[in-house]
Amino acid sequence: MKFDIIGKRYWWFALSLIVLIPGLISMALQGFNLGIDFTGGTILDLKFASSVTVAQVREVLVDHRLENSVIQLVSTDQAETSNNLFIRTHVLSNDESQILFTDMEKRLGAFEVLRSEKVGAVMGSELTQQALLNLAVVCALLIAYISYRFEYKIAVSAILAILHDVMIVLGIFSLFHIEMDSSFVAAILTVIGYSMNEAIVVFDRIRENLKTHRKTESFQDLVNRSIGQTFTRTLYTLLTVLFACGSLHFFGGESTKNFSLAMLIGFLSGAYSAIFNASPIWVTWKEYDERKRAVLKTGGSK
């Protein structure tokens, strides 16, 4: 299979910008739809006369646009039904709580409200700042390690591809106002790991091919050949993870939908950026250096 990905790299860069720019504008103008883990909310402790399931309770909450609430059964065993449960949801006013309770009693039977109170955010601004700081440290360590094993241009190219994937996920979530909770952070970290792995696989093949590089073969052809040699592996890996995440998204229930959606978007972007962004950035950088050296050499000979 013959590829000319490097020859058309500016088209791929333009495609990435077309996807990135609306998301960046959305993040700047409307920000994110942060869930109760970031903003705090209302916690309800309910005791029903008859046992209920999580699915029954969530069905009621969906009709009140509270589908992303956290529902926890209170039981001493692993039973799927219970008379007692906790609900953690957005901040509810007294009127909203009363409407919800009335509907819940009509559909699930009589219950008693043991506790209803407003709670703070699980992930405060300080914790979020620390997570971002840790992410920056991890990126710096990855650059140092990859620079040691490969070269710093490869490290920077790989990190740029990872940032591209993270921004794609953040941008789409902001653009469509999809709610983010604490599991979103786990999804982003998983995407970073996947994207890094995919980029390094391509760069490792390029490094191996450089050892037997023939002078008759152009640098672009060598990178295209390397991408072609890893393309099948990338495709199989992507299909495998998409199958797993797709199953989780479509059959895993409401509580895992946004988590799996973030990974679906991130894995698609990661597979794309590993092939169409990471190594093309590196090639562009190398060619720029070569042109610069050629200009200096020409200027020196005059």
Side-chain angles (χ1 to χ4, degrees):
M1 194 180 295
K2 192 171 181 179
F3 296 88
D4 185 20
I5 291 170
I6 302 302
K8 296 180 173 59
R9 59 187 182 274
Y10 294 109
W11 287 103
W12 309 128
F13 294 157
L15 180 61
S16 292
L17 287 176
I18 289 172
V19 178
L20 275 171
I21 288 174
L24 293 172
I25 294 173
S26 176
M27 283 188 276
L29 295 181
Q30 68 173 358
F32 300 104
N33 179 14
L34 298 176
I36 56 178
D37 291 335
F38 294 94
T39 61
T42 297
I43 187 166
L44 304 172
D45 184 2
L46 308 179
K47 183 178 182 181
F48 284 83
S50 304
S51 297
V52 294
T53 65
V54 171
Q56 288 175 314
V57 177
R58 191 174 298 282
E59 189 177 345
V60 177
L61 295 176
V62 166
D63 293 341
H64 294 267
R65 305 183 70 177
L66 300 172
E67 59 272 17
N68 292 319
S69 303
V70 178
I71 304 170
Q72 182 180 5
L73 295 177
V74 180
S75 176
T76 54
D77 52 24
Q78 299 299 317
E80 295 181 353
T81 63
S82 175
N83 295 72
N84 285 72
L85 60 88
F86 288 112
I87 299 175
R88 185 183 175 94
T89 186
H90 293 295
V91 175
L92 297 175
S93 65
N94 291 335
D95 290 342
E96 289 173 328
S97 297
Q98 195 55 49
I99 293 171
L100 174 64
F101 292 156
T102 302
D103 190 26
M104 197 172 279
E105 184 173 17
K106 187 165 62 177
R107 297 167 65 174
L108 301 178
F111 65 91
E112 180 183 358
V113 181
L114 301 180
R115 183 163 61 111
S116 174
E117 63 182 16
K118 293 180 175 60
V119 295
V122 172
M123 298 188 67
S125 58
E126 186 178 348
L127 186 58
T128 304
Q129 288 174 3
Q130 288 180 351
L132 292 175
L133 178 62
N134 289 335
L135 183 61
V137 172
V138 167
C139 287
L141 291 175
L142 282 173
I143 288 177
Y145 179 71
I146 299 171
S147 299
Y148 170 71
R149 293 298 305 270
F150 293 86
E151 63 173 273
Y152 77 96
K153 290 175 184 171
I154 287 180
V156 174
S157 300
I159 292 297
L160 288 175
I162 290 172
L163 292 177
H164 163 276
D165 302 332
V166 172
M167 297 307 289
I168 290 285
V169 178
L170 290 173
I172 290 177
F173 266 66
S174 173
L175 199 61
F176 294 98
H177 218 52
I178 303 171
E179 185 173 293
M180 298 176 177
D181 55 21
S182 58
S183 67
F184 181 82
V185 178
I188 288 293
L189 293 175
T190 308
V191 168
I192 290 173
Y194 175 84
S195 301
M196 174 60 72
N197 183 61
E198 290 301 304
I200 290 302
V201 165
V202 176
F203 281 124
D204 186 59
R205 176 56 58 181
I206 292 173
R207 183 177 63 173
E208 290 298 317
N209 287 335
L210 276 171
K211 295 176 183 175
T212 57
H213 178 47
R214 301 186 305 272
K215 291 185 178 179
T216 53
E217 184 183 39
S218 71
F219 195 61
Q220 289 193 19
D221 287 341
L222 180 141
V223 177
N224 280 329
R225 180 161 60 90
S226 303
I227 292 173
Q229 290 170 347
T230 59
F231 187 81
T232 303
R233 178 259 175 211
T234 301
L235 183 62
Y236 287 164
T237 305
L238 176 64
L239 290 176
T240 303
V241 296
L242 288 184
F243 179 77
C245 286
S247 301
L248 188 63
H249 181 71
F250 293 108
F251 307 112
E254 287 293 330
S255 60
T256 58
K257 269 197 179 303
N258 291 350
F259 168 72
S260 54
L261 178 63
M263 289 201 294
L264 279 172
I265 298 169
F267 290 159
L268 281 169
S269 178
Y272 170 83
S273 67
I275 294 173
F276 298 98
N277 288 147
S279 49
I281 289 173
W282 179 65
V283 171
T284 304
W285 196 348
K286 296 280 281 187
E287 289 182 347
Y288 171 77
D289 282 351
E290 287 181 359
R291 286 197 301 271
K292 195 174 175 181
R293 279 196 296 270
V295 169
L296 289 173
K297 190 175 179 181
T298 304
S301 63
K302 287 180 180 179

